[in-house]
């Protein structure tokens, strides 16, 4: 049974950092492309970052390039999203995702950037 559990969200001031974790079970993260999405209030869900199953090539939304880093720890079967220089517009619920024959999603973790 595929499960994704996000953690690490919280309230931080602008310019701060957070590291989100996505603990996976029921499959091996290194065998699939793993994605982080986010959805702000009254906004559509958007793809933030992705890491491939072949090598560790990564892709980022333009809005987070240079500030966010996605990584994968195979021994822990966990995917991370390191978020630096956070801005109020980064406020959203962040979701971990893996696409197999269907999409699997975690329940999300709230990130709030506010002074």
């Amino acid at each position: 049974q595929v499960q994704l559990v996000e953690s690490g969200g919280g309230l931080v001031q602008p310019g701060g950092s957070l590291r989100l974790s996505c603990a996976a079970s029921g499959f091996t993260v290194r065998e699939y492309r793993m994605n982080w999405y986010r959805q702000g209030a009254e906004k559509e869900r958007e793809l933030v970052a992705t890491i491939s199953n072949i090598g560790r090539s990564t892709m980022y939304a333009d809005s987070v390039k240079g500030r966010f880093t996605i990584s994968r720890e195979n021994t822990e079967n966990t995917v991370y999203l390191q978020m630096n220089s956070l801005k109020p517009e980064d406020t959203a619920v962040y979701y971990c995702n893996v696409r197999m024959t269907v999409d699997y999603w975690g329940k999300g973790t709230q990130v709030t950037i506010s002074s």
Side-chain angles (χ1 to χ4, degrees):
Q1 181 182 359
V2 172
Q3 276 195 312
L4 300 169
V5 179
E6 303 95 337
S7 62
L11 171 64
V12 297
Q13 293 187 343
S17 298
L18 282 173
R19 189 176 80 152
L20 305 184
S21 300
C22 171
S25 59
F27 73 103
T28 304
V29 296
R30 70 172 182 270
E31 295 180 353
Y32 293 88
R33 177 179 296 272
M34 298 297 300
N35 309 301
W36 281 101
Y37 283 78
R38 68 184 180 187
Q39 186 166 17
E42 301 180 2
K43 293 183 180 179
E44 301 218 346
R45 193 170 293 192
E46 63 170 340
L47 179 62
V48 174
T50 185
I51 184 166
S52 73
N53 56 320
I54 300 173
R56 291 179 187 264
S57 65
T58 57
M59 293 178 61
Y60 299 92
D62 287 343
S63 58
V64 307
K65 276 181 185 175
R67 300 188 299 121
F68 289 13
T69 303
I70 187 172
S71 62
R72 184 180 66 229
E73 178 53 62
N74 294 336
T75 59
E76 298 175 357
N77 212 36
T78 298
V79 178
Y80 298 98
L81 186 68
Q82 177 67 44
M83 306 188 297
N84 299 327
S85 302
L86 285 161
K87 305 174 181 180
E89 51 263 45
D90 295 319
T91 295
V93 179
Y94 284 71
Y95 297 92
C96 186
N97 164 266
V98 63
R99 175 165 292 176
M100 299 178 181
T101 53
V102 298
D103 275 316
Y104 290 93
W105 300 88
K107 292 183 179 180
T109 186
Q110 176 70 47
V111 171
T112 302
I113 312 304
S114 175
S115 55

